[in-house]
């Protein structure tokens, strides 16, 4: 095991990027825009610098003093958006992100799509122009100006605008802030002309009275639909609850547990969302995963009533579990997601059946059902018990640690440190997901775009720094490599964070796809690795972390070395460091994950 330490520094986080005092009087258009961000109580604005918002940048520094919002410098726009994504996952609040003209927005699009699919709020502020052609500098202002930048992201944002005056921009920012946080939540984009940012203010521009512009309350579930759902659940002998996109408030968590116990229902969760229900609870019999497991399929087939709390891809889950058919169960669907379905993105999935359907907050439905649902008896479910898989041992010829063994060591070693798992890779074995609190697992990226993990880890770790939790992100090597410069942002802002890279030297998910394709076409499956493996030469992931200023440990390729690395890394992170462990793992997924993945790959 090799541990590489960065140069030490005596600077504390509070001393980073503090500007010299300046006249705080609002004199330019961008000063008013910066004041609006503070009035909205925006805590951070992530950015990669660009001339199209140089006015706003100056105002954040010299008008507001780089405080509330405070800038978070990222090396790539995709990282800036991912940081905002991870932060919102923990706090439930948007972060602002500044994106430079067309080129910065193009860099950011994948991360914006992730946030859209994950229904995560953020306020994206673009810079453009000058739109008045006579004010453009030769060459660069022309190639970085576009007439309708919002068109680049209109298919996967909730709303966009390009205001033409300072008062209109203030209103657009306020409207965007409301829309982003109104369920179903998502990113919004406001494009700010460089001219209005840099124009002198003739008089003080009055900000809107924020207190008078409340965002709308989410409608309560219709009383008639609640009554129908309650009756169906009261009569059910085998009720099943599929918990999808719900809040991470602890009161809502407890309400879900109470309803489940009162109904005697079984619960299924997955890893596309954050922790939503205690995974060791006796009424949660199946380990969570990215896909419905073989253990969950019989529950879907045998249930007589299925309550979907905004389950992601309800139709796909039902069909896979029932071999392409719809289940016989009465389906109760509660989701607000239809409000953001559009003709561009197919992230709304296949159309599910719904015998009782309501456009309402799933957590509001849970509370409404608790008011009318009494204790039940006479369930026909067999005695609930957790399905436990026997952990795999490290095979003598395996090129690295088996993924199930890595998971066991990780969970057992970190348990005493109150870990908050920010991210888990696709191949992670669900039996080691021991969640008993909403912060035990933060969730996935929504859109399946590689490079999101490091940035989301940094944003979530920033939010978690106010808690007593140990921030841990377990990433695949491809995800880490594409977003590795996010580690620099964590180091720069003194963010305690542990990143563990499950390094199988491959884009392994695609190896499985190529294997399946080869089998269908009766071609050599032994060729599946070509164009996939990153092993000649092997990438030194710990040294890449060191290059960002972090502590790099590894590579480690056996259990004893990994246990030692974890102990050392935890000590460093608790002391305030950003630490990355490069763990060489076998090119495989956990057995249950491989089985579920293959069931979900079309023949």
């Amino acid at each position: 095991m090799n541990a590489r330490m960065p140069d030490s520094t005596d600077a504390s986080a509070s001393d980073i990027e503090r500007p010299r005092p300046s006249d705080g009087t609002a004199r330019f258009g961008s000063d008013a825009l910066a004041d609006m961000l503070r009035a909205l109580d925006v805590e951070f604005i992530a950015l990669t610098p660009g001339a199209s918002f140089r006015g706003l940048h100056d105002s954040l520094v010299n008008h507001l003093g780089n405080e509330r919002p405070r800038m978070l410098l990222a090396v790539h726009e995709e990282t800036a958006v991912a940081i905002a994504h991870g932060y919102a996952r923990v706090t439930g609040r948007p972060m602002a992100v500044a994106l430079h003209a067309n080129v910065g927005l193009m860099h950011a699009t994948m991360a914006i799509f992730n946030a859209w699919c994950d229904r995560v709020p953020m306020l994206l502020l673009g810079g453009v122009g000058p739109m008045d052609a006579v004010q453009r500098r030769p060459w660069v202002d022309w190639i970085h100006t576009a007439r309708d930048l919002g068109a680049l992201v209109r298919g996967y944002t909730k709303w966009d605008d390009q205001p033409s005056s300072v008062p209109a921009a203030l209103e657009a920012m306020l409207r965007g802030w409301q829309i982003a946080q109104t369920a179903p939540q998502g990113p919004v984009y406001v494009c700010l002309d460089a001219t209005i940012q840099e124009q002198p203010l003739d008089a003080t521009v009055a900000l809107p009275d924020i207190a008078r512009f409340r965002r709308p309350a989410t409608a309560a579930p219709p009383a008639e639909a609640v009554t129908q759902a309650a009756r169906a659940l009261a009569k059910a002998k085998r009720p099943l609850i599929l918990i999808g996109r719900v809040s991470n408030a602890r009161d809502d968590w407890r309400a879900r547990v109470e309803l489940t116990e009162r109904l005697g229902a079984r619960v299924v969760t997955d890893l596309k969302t954050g922790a939503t229900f205690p995974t060791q609870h006796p009424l949660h019999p199946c380990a969570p995963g990215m896909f419905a497991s073989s253990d969950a399929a019989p529950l879907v087939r045998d249930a007589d009533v299925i309550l979907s709390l905004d389950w992601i891809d309800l139709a796909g889950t039902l069909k896979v579990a029932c071999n392409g058919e719809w289940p016989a169960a009465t389906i109760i669907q509660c989701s607000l997601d239809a409000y953001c379905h559009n003709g561009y993105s197919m992230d709304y999935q296949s159309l599910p059946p719904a015998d009782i359907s309501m456009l309402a907050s799933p957590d509001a439905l849970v509370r409404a059902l608790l008011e009318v649902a009494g204790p039940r008896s006479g369930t026909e479910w067999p005695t609930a018990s957790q399905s436990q898989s026997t952990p795999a041992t490290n095979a003598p010829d395996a090129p690295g640690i088996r993924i199930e063994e890595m998971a066991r060591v990780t969970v057992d070693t970190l348990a005493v440190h109150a870990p908050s798992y920010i991210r888990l890779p696709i191949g992670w074995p669900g039996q080691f997901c021991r969640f008993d609190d909403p912060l035990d697992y933060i969730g996935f990226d929504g859109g399946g775009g590689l490079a999101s993990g490091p940035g989301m880890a940094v944003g979530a770790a920033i939010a978690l720094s106010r808690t007593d939790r140990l921030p841990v992100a377990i990433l695949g090597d491809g995800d880490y490599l594409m977003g590795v410069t996010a580690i620099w942002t964590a180091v720069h802002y003194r963010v305690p964070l542990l990143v563990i890279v499950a390094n199988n030297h491959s884009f392994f998910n695609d190896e499985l796809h190529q294997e399946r394709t080869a089998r269908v076409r009766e071609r050599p499956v032994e060729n599946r690795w070509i164009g996939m493996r990153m092993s000649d030469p092997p990438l030194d992931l710990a040294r890449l972390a060191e290059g960002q200023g972090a502590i790099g440990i590894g590579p480690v390729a056996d259990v004893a070395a990994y246990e030692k690395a974890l102990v050392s890394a935890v000590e460093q992170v608790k002391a305030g460091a950003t630490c990355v462990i490069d763990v060489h793992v076998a090119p495989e997924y956990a057995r249950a994950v491989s089985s579920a993945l293959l069931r979900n790959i079309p023949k």
Side-chain angles (χ1 to χ4, degrees), residues 218-289:
T218 302
E224 182 180 356
V226 173
T227 299
Q228 290 177 329
R231 286 174 180 168
L233 290 165
K235 295 177 182 178
K237 297 298 183 182
R238 297 179 304 280
L240 175 66
I241 304 177
L242 304 177
I243 303 181
R245 298 186 187 100
V246 292
S247 89
N248 65 356
R250 289 188 175 89
D251 286 346
D252 291 332
W253 172 286
R254 287 189 285 268
R256 292 190 289 271
V257 174
E258 182 180 350
L259 179 65
T260 300
E261 292 174 344
R262 199 179 292 184
L263 295 175
R266 299 296 181 265
V267 168
V268 175
T269 62
D270 72 11
L271 296 181
K272 292 190 285 295
T273 67
T276 58
F277 192 88
T279 56
Q280 303 301 299
H281 194 288
L283 296 177
H284 185 281
C286 306

Side-chain angles (χ1 to χ4, degrees), residues 220-545:
E224 182 180 356
V226 173
T227 299
Q228 290 177 329
R231 286 174 180 168
L233 290 165
K235 295 177 182 178
K237 297 298 183 182
R238 297 179 304 280
L240 175 66
I241 304 177
L242 304 177
I243 303 181
R245 298 186 187 100
V246 292
S247 89
N248 65 356
R250 289 188 175 89
D251 286 346
D252 291 332
W253 172 286
R254 287 189 285 268
R256 292 190 289 271
V257 174
E258 182 180 350
L259 179 65
T260 300
E261 292 174 344
R262 199 179 292 184
L263 295 175
R266 299 296 181 265
V267 168
V268 175
T269 62
D270 72 11
L271 296 181
K272 292 190 285 295
T273 67
T276 58
F277 192 88
T279 56
Q280 303 301 299
H281 194 288
L283 296 177
H284 185 281
C286 306
M290 289 294 172
F291 305 98
S293 68
S294 57
D295 293 332
L299 296 178
V300 174
R301 292 194 296 268
D302 295 343
D304 53 1
V305 175
I306 298 175
L307 171 59
S308 165
L309 299 177
D310 201 8
W311 181 263
I312 299 173
D313 192 13
L314 177 59
T317 299
L318 298 178
K319 279 194 170 183
V320 169
C322 299
N323 300 314
E325 303 294 331
W326 296 125
T330 297
I331 307 296
I332 305 170
Q333 166 73 318
C334 183
S335 172
L336 287 162
D337 205 54
Y339 282 125
C340 63
H341 296 170
N342 61 46
Y344 172 84
S345 176
M346 305 296 125
D347 64 281
Y348 48 72
Q349 313 290 333
S350 183
L351 183 66
D355 302 289
I356 303 170
S357 184
M358 57 198 88
L359 285 165
S361 160
D363 293 295
L365 175 60
V366 170
R367 292 191 294 272
L369 288 173
L370 279 173
E371 292 179 1
V372 297
R376 290 184 63 260
S377 61
T379 179
E380 293 182 0
W381 285 120
T383 302
S385 62
Q386 283 276 339
S387 58
Q388 299 291 340
S389 299
T390 302
T393 56
N394 203 21
D397 57 347
I401 303 171
R402 299 293 298 270
I403 192 69
E404 283 152 318
E405 188 70 359
M406 176 192 174
R408 181 191 64 78
V409 172
T410 303
V411 171
D412 289 350
T413 303
L414 298 184
V416 296
H417 301 289
S420 183
Y421 290 97
I422 297 169
R423 213 34 198 276
L424 296 171
I426 291 176
W428 197 253
Q431 68 266 28
F432 294 105
C433 295
R434 300 166 186 168
F435 308 147
D436 197 41
D437 182 86
L439 288 183
D440 284 351
Y441 173 59
I442 304 305
F444 202 54
D445 63 15
L450 292 183
S452 63
M456 286 184 65
V458 174
I462 289 171
L464 289 167
S465 64
R466 305 183 184 96
T467 73
D468 61 354
R469 307 302 294 260
L470 177 74
V472 182
I474 305 176
L475 309 178
D477 48 346
D479 191 28
Y480 171 79
L481 285 165
M482 288 189 189
V484 67
T485 56
I487 301 300
W488 179 88
T489 299
V491 175
H492 180 64
Y493 293 105
R494 317 298 192 262
V495 179
L497 171 62
L498 173 58
V499 175
I500 303 168
V501 186
N503 182 5
N504 58 20
H505 311 284
S506 174
F507 290 96
F508 186 71
N509 186 60
D510 287 288
E511 281 201 43
L512 296 184
H513 280 274
Q514 294 309 125
E515 178 179 337
R516 181 63 175 264
T517 301
R519 290 187 188 281
V520 169
R521 297 181 177 184
E522 298 182 342
R523 292 174 175 172
V525 297
E526 295 82 4
N527 293 334
R528 76 178 197 181
W529 65 275
I530 296 175
M532 303 286 178
R533 298 282 174 91
M534 298 175 285
S535 56
D536 184 18
L539 289 148
D540 191 336
L541 306 190
R543 191 172 295 277
L544 287 172

